[in-house]
């Protein structure tokens, strides 16, 4: 008994040991770091919210007394149905259709060129190319993606139109080609989205398990069969998502189309005429004298808001396709 | 030697089951595949050393051995699946019915149609059940829908899957269970009308019930096909194969009638392996 007492004496707990929370520099730093990180993470969300708020107050409903927003002056019906866009003229028309038309004709040409080439390049890199070539091509594609879009626009204006489009379409086929035209803008836009399509599609193709390829070969497939009938369908969701993101980028692209396609709002499907996209209008209008508070100024927000909704819709669609059609491979 | 006795038991049970089914000799002696002095390399690393072996027609030949012993490499050499691996090369001879399959004028695509393959992990394409089985005939140029339907039905029946899927051929193959997916892959391999079927651990990822179904199926299939199967499971080799080959560290140590190999192995290493002393 005496021995046990000696080993575990019944001493009271040490005074000064407190389990309650109290201030310490370590805890303060922990809280500080957390706040800074949260702030950075919230910044993009707050920016988006601020932009949406500006769109809404300038375009849809003004919260400042005594001022009106765009759609309080121009009816939504006029905006969507009028076939003319002339905010800077005396006879003002606010029909978004010509701008939408320009945007979609140019983005459409760009997609027709960029999507198939980008996908074909991705298939080549993922299925056919030797690893060495692939390692070399990846940075080259990134360089292509890194060229400023104003350079592409200039290239369209001083090279594509005079040395490619005019000799073929004007001299050979007798179709008038404006110096500013939708086709040259579409062509360079197509080149611009190739890296996006190629890089994202290649990731999707390479994520297809090797077992599926081997199964394809074991059934007597050629490389072409395996690539097109096994790997591409298996990577379908990723490929479609890359297409949608690329189209979204094409719709939002500004400088190249502004320079190459010109500033002439025109409701037409003739790609050899000058056209104006939504983005090009915004560049033009915000560069010129557009005093705050005027209807031209507010129209910038209306067009910007429309563009925002379209690209937002495309991105949501891309995400939905990704989730809906994704095959889960362990 | 109780382990030996249990193998003897298994082999014996199988033979009874077999002779009850039909009156033909257990082992066919016609040579389907004849491999001579095969050395195989992945880049610098040699995976197979001077392997010579014959594979009998319309019989099941099992390859056993510890992981990395070269049994899968050897299997994949038989339909040139190793061709798609960067840096793989070989020397030696592989004869299919007397023809060198690595000869320069051999069309590897037609070779693989005759020598089908089923993998360890079931690999259904993300397509419908019908399209999975019809894949092989389609790429071979069969376009006629009626003809395709017949091939699909026949192949699914041979793979003992038809009754389970006949009402939902257009459903995604990925919705099937693991065991069904593996039988689907077997049906898909049968649809190209091969005469040799290579199976790389076809049941190792399956539950016992599905394994038993696949084993029964292999047993059925050997009436019409030459089957070569790689397995980790020695009981499985004893249950289903007519011939067993034991690989170790890239060498073929011994190949014999399954019964002989499991009961009276000639080599010490074989005996050690099948009695569980290593591997």
């Amino acid at each position: 008994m005496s021995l046990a007492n000696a080993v575990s004496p019944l001493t009271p707990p040490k005074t000064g040991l407190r389990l309650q929370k109290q201030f310490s520099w370590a805890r303060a730093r922990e809280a500080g770091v957390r706040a800074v990180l949260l702030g950075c993470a919230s910044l993009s969300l707050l920016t988006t919210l601020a932009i949406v708020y500006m769109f809404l107050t300038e375009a849809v409903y003004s919260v400042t007394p005594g001022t009106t927003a765009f759609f309080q002056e121009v009816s939504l019906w006029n905006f969507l149905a009028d076939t003319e866009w002339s905010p800077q003229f005396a006879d003002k028309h606010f029909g978004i259709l010509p701008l939408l038309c320009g945007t979609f004709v140019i983005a459409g040409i760009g997609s027709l060129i960029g999507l198939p080439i980008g996908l074909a390049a991705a298939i080549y890199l993922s299925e056919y190319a030797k690893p060495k070539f692939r390692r070399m091509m990846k940075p080259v594609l990134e360089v292509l993606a890194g060229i400023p879009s104003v350079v592409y626009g200039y290239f369209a204006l001083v090279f594509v139109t005079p040395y490619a489009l005019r000799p073929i379409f004007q001299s050979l086929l007798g179709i008038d080609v404006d110096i500013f035209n939708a086709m040259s803008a579409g062509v360079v836009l197509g080149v611009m989205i190739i890296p996006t399509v190629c890089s994202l599609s290649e990731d999707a193709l390479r994520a297809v398990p090797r077992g599926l390829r081997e199964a394809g070969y074991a059934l007597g497939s050629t490389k072409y069969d395996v690539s097109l009938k096994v790997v591409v369908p298996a990577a379908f969701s990723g490929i479609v998502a890359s297409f949608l993101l690329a189209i979204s980028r094409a719709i939002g692209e500004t400088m190249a189309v502004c320079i190459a396609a010109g500033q002439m709002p025109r409701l037409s499907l003739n790609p050899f005429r000058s056209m104006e996209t939504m983005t090009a209008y915004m560049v033009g209008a915000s560069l010129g004298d557009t005093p705050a508070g005027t209807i031209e100024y507010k129209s910038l927000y209306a067009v910007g808001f429309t563009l925002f909704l379209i690209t937002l819709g495309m991105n949501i669609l891309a995400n939905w396709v990704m989730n809906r059609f994704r095959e889960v491979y362990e | 030697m109780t382990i030996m006795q249990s193998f003897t038991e298994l082999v014996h049970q199988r033979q009874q089951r077999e002779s009850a089914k039909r009156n033909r000799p257990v082992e066919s002696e016609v040579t389907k595949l004849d491999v001579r002095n095969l050395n195989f390399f992945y880049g610098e690393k040699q995976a197979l050393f001077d392997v010579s072996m014959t594979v009998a027609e319309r019989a099941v030949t099992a390859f056993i051995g510890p992981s990395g012993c070269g049994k899968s490499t050897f299997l994949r050499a038989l339909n040139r699946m190793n061709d798609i691996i960067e840096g793989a090369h070989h020397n030696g001879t592989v004869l299919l019915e007397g023809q060198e399959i690595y000869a320069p004028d051999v069309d590897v695509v037609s070779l693989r149609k005759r020598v089908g393959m089923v993998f360890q992990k079931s690999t259904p394409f993300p397509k419908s059940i019908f399209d999975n089985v019809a894949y092989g005939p389609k790429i071979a140029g069969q376009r006629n829908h009626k003809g395709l339907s017949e091939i699909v039905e026949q192949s699914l029946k041979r793979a003992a899957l038809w009754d389970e899927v006949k009402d939902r051929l257009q459903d995604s193959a990925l919705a099937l269970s693991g065991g069904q997916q593996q039988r689907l892959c077997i049906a898909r391999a049968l649809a190209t009308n091969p005469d040799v079927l290579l199976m790389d651990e076809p049941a190792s990822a399956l539950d016992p019930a599905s394994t038993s179904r696949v084993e029964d199926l292999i047993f059925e299939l050997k009436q019409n096909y030459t089957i070569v199967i790689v397995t980790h499971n020695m009981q499985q080799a004893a249950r289903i194969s007519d011939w067993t080959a034991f690989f170790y560290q890239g060498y073929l140590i011994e190949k014999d009638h399954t019964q002989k190999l499991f009961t009276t192995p000639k080599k010490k290493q074989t005996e050690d392996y099948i009695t569980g002393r290593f591997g």
Side-chain angles (χ1 to χ4, degrees):
Chain A
M1 271 322 251
S2 61
L3 192 68
N5 273 340
V7 173
S8 58
L10 288 167
T11 47
K14 261 194 285 179
T15 50
L17 175 71
R18 289 171 56 196
L19 294 172
Q20 285 76 24
K21 284 184 180 174
Q22 54 188 315
F23 179 83
S24 81
W25 283 111
R27 285 171 54 82
R29 195 181 60 203
E30 196 61 30
V33 166
R34 191 187 154 91
V36 169
L37 295 181
L38 175 69
C40 294
S42 316
L43 199 62
S44 62
L45 179 68
L46 289 175
T47 313
T48 313
L49 288 178
I51 290 173
V52 172
Y53 175 79
M54 273 183 65
F55 278 143
L56 290 175
T57 53
E58 294 287 345
V60 181
Y61 186 85
S62 174
V63 288
T64 321
T67 60
T68 51
F70 181 80
F71 284 114
Q72 289 171 302
E73 292 181 41
V74 178
S75 76
L76 186 61
W77 172 251
N78 266 346
F79 185 69
L80 294 178
D82 197 331
T83 56
E84 252 182 81
W85 179 264
S86 53
Q88 281 130 323
F89 296 167
D91 176 24
K92 291 184 192 308
H93 283 275
F94 295 99
I96 191 78
L97 282 177
L99 297 186
L100 275 179
C101 168
T103 300
F104 281 102
V105 165
I106 292 169
I109 295 169
S111 303
L112 282 179
I113 293 168
L115 302 186
I117 294 178
L119 178 59
I123 293 172
Y124 180 77
L125 287 184
S126 152
E127 306 301 312
Y128 286 82
K130 291 234 179 333
K132 208 170 162 187
F133 182 75
R134 179 164 56 228
R135 276 199 299 278
M136 201 186 73
M137 276 307 287
K138 274 275 186 180
V140 172
L141 276 171
E142 271 148 34
V143 168
L144 196 62
I147 297 173
S149 68
V150 63
V151 175
Y152 279 104
Y154 191 67
F155 178 73
L157 186 63
V158 303
F159 180 79
V160 177
T161 300
Y163 295 112
L165 297 181
R166 283 196 160 155
I168 298 170
F169 292 98
Q170 196 156 310
S171 310
L172 274 172
L173 302 170
I175 305 168
D176 276 343
V177 178
D178 292 353
I179 184 68
F180 295 106
N181 61 76
M183 185 59 105
S184 65
V187 169
V188 293
L189 202 52
V191 176
M192 287 171 79
I193 63 173
I194 287 174
T196 310
V197 179
C198 181
S199 171
L200 293 176
S201 297
E202 201 222 335
D203 290 346
L205 293 170
R206 281 164 68 78
V208 173
R210 215 177 82 154
L212 278 189
R213 293 187 178 83
E214 292 198 340
Y217 285 122
L219 291 166
S221 305
T222 59
K223 196 153 211 164
Y224 169 85
D225 291 324
V226 168
S227 306
L228 262 79
K229 294 171 192 165
V230 176
V231 180
V232 168
F236 178 76
S237 68
I239 292 170
V240 172
S242 83
F243 280 11
L244 290 173
L245 288 177
I247 294 171
S248 181
R249 188 177 163 208
I251 290 172
E253 170 50 42
T254 306
M255 227 38 233
V257 296
C258 186
I259 294 171
Q263 307 251 289
M264 180 70 74
R266 191 198 307 273
L267 185 59
S268 149
L269 291 176
N270 182 347
F272 300 107
R273 308 300 305 275
S274 172
M275 282 188 181
E276 187 168 56
T277 64
M278 291 188 280
T279 50
Y281 168 72
M282 292 171 74
V283 171
S286 55
L287 285 180
D289 312 319
T290 314
T294 60
I295 187 74
E296 296 98 302
Y297 175 80
K298 290 171 197 162
S299 74
L300 276 172
Y301 287 90
V303 174
F305 194 39
T306 311
L307 188 60
F308 173 78
L309 289 180
I310 291 171
T311 48
L312 180 68
M314 296 287 294
N315 290 355
I316 289 172
L317 187 65
N319 270 322
W320 180 80
V321 169
M322 283 268 244
N323 292 322
R324 171 70 180 74
F325 295 102
R326 185 174 49 201
E327 309 295 354
V328 184
Y329 305 110
E330 311 106 68
Chain B
M1 294 310 277
T2 49
I3 293 171
M4 287 295 192
Q5 279 158 7
S6 74
F7 279 125
T8 317
E9 186 76 1
L10 278 170
V11 172
H12 187 66
Q13 280 171 9
R14 193 180 63 70
Q15 281 173 343
Q16 281 185 330
R17 186 160 62 127
E18 184 158 299
S19 50
K21 269 190 152 28
R22 57 192 167 272
N23 296 322
R24 70 175 182 83
V26 178
E27 296 92 10
S28 150
E29 301 294 344
V30 181
T31 297
K32 188 74 176 180
L33 283 154
D34 186 358
V35 182
R36 290 176 199 163
N37 308 102
L38 183 69
N39 289 290
F40 200 92
F41 307 83
Y42 293 111
E44 296 291 298
K45 191 176 168 295
Q46 187 160 3
L48 290 174
F49 297 85
D50 200 36
V51 175
S52 297
M53 182 199 294
T54 58
V55 172
E57 189 176 38
R58 292 175 196 235
V60 179
T61 304
F63 296 169
I64 60 169
S67 298
C69 66
K71 58 192 191 299
S72 286
T73 300
F74 186 74
L75 186 80
R76 294 164 58 98
L78 301 179
N79 70 340
R80 294 182 57 172
M81 276 308 280
N82 290 323
D83 285 18
I84 59 180
I85 295 171
E86 195 83 12
H89 58 107
H90 79 289
N91 57 60
T93 314
V94 182
L95 303 172
L96 172 65
E97 288 179 358
Q99 277 188 65
E100 168 61 60
I101 67 168
Y102 283 94
D105 62 338
V106 163
D107 176 23
V108 66
V109 167
S110 4
L111 169 73
R112 291 191 188 131
K113 278 175 196 155
R114 292 195 54 196
V115 185
M117 190 161 191
V118 175
F119 299 86
Q120 176 178 7
K121 239 190 103 222
S122 60
T123 50
F125 300 139
K127 301 168 187 265
S128 71
I129 294 168
F130 184 95
D131 286 342
N132 261 279
V133 184
Y135 176 89
K138 261 188 192 165
I139 58 165
Q142 169 73 263
R143 288 273 170 268
N144 174 333
H145 187 79
K146 194 158 165 281
L148 281 176
S149 298
E150 272 167 24
I151 294 172
V152 169
E153 180 175 343
Q154 201 181 34
S155 307
L156 285 169
K157 277 179 175 161
R158 282 191 183 167
L161 189 60
W162 174 250
D163 291 332
E164 290 158 63
V165 300
K166 64 183 174 197
D167 301 321
R168 46 176 180 144
L169 292 175
Q170 294 310 320
D171 286 10
S172 168
L174 299 174
L176 296 173
S177 75
Q180 289 173 327
Q181 288 191 1
Q182 193 59 299
R183 276 180 284 144
L184 178 72
C185 292
I186 294 173
R188 187 175 64 185
L190 297 180
T192 60
N193 200 20
D195 28 59
V196 181
L197 206 52
L198 309 177
M199 297 182 154
D200 194 353
E201 303 193 30
S204 69
L206 302 180
D207 60 78
S210 306
T211 300
S212 161
R213 296 214 60 168
V214 169
E215 286 182 6
D216 289 347
L217 174 59
I218 291 168
F219 208 80
E220 290 295 320
L221 290 173
K222 76 168 181 179
Q223 292 179 56
N224 299 308
Y225 302 91
T226 302
I227 292 173
V228 187
I229 178 170
V230 164
T231 177
H232 254 106
N233 181 333
M234 283 178 283
Q235 280 76 16
Q236 184 171 65
R239 278 194 300 268
I240 61 175
S241 69
D242 303 301
W243 296 85
T244 299
F246 171 61
F247 284 82
Y248 185 59
Q249 292 185 340
Y251 291 92
L252 171 64
I253 305 297
E254 187 171 352
K255 182 212 161 202
D256 212 331
H257 292 292
T258 297
Q259 189 180 11
K260 281 189 197 151
L261 188 117
F262 277 108
T263 52
T264 52
K266 291 192 200 81
K267 301 271 169 64
K268 178 89 172 61
Q269 282 153 310
T270 316
E271 186 179 329
D272 287 350
Y273 183 70
I274 61 179
T275 53
R277 243 165 261 167
F278 75 97

